[in-house]
């Protein structure tokens, strides 16, 4: 099947060890289509910008503790968006 996208080619395994990381929209990579599956011209995010699953699990614990302490909604929203992005680009489907 030549029209099937191999998403494993676009998976990024992160190396960032920071528990807290502000959300930054990764707009440098656009999803390939069946008409043009190549990303040769796009610059992909660096693994240094993405957190691996063990770090994301620690981040979740930290965020839950911080939420109980101060209920800072804008901070929590930013951090959860950043976590979701790291999970998505690393293709993790569960924590």
């Amino acid at each position: 099947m030549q029209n099937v996208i191999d998403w494993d080619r676009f998976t990024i395994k992160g190396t960032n060890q920071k528990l807290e990381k502000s959300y930054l929209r990764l707009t440098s990579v656009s999803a390939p289509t069946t008409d043009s599956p190549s990303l040769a011209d796009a610059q992909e995010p660096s693994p240094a910008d993405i957190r691996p699953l063990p770090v994301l699990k620690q981040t979740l614990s930290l965020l839950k503790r911080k939420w109980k302490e101060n209920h800072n909604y804008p901070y929590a929203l930013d951090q959860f968006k950043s976590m979701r992005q790291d999970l998505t680009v690393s293709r993790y489907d569960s924590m």
Side-chain angles (χ1 to χ4, degrees):
M1 298 183 93
Q2 58 186 342
N3 287 335
V4 176
I5 297 170
D6 177 14
W7 288 109
D8 289 335
R9 288 183 30 216
F10 304 105
T11 301
I12 299 170
K13 296 300 179 194
T15 60
N16 189 319
Q17 297 297 307
K18 293 181 181 177
L19 295 183
E20 296 173 287
K21 183 182 81 149
S22 292
Y23 172 73
L24 176 64
R25 185 177 299 273
L26 299 176
T27 57
S28 60
V29 174
S30 58
T33 64
T34 54
D35 296 333
S36 62
S38 174
L39 290 179
D41 297 337
Q43 173 122 12
E44 67 182 39
S46 167
D49 296 330
I50 309 301
R51 294 167 289 189
L53 189 58
V55 174
L56 291 170
K57 287 180 178 183
Q58 292 173 351
T59 298
L60 179 59
S61 295
L62 174 70
L63 294 180
K64 289 191 296 187
R65 182 173 44 83
K66 283 194 167 195
W67 178 255
K68 287 179 184 178
E69 293 171 0
N70 62 20
H71 296 284
N72 183 340
Y73 182 79
Y75 166 80
L77 178 65
D78 179 66
Q79 293 300 305
F80 278 109
K81 284 169 57 175
S82 179
M83 279 186 63
R84 181 184 63 210
Q85 182 176 61
D86 289 354
L87 289 165
T88 300
V89 299
S90 298
R91 296 191 62 227
Y92 295 122
D93 57 3
S94 65
M95 283 184 68

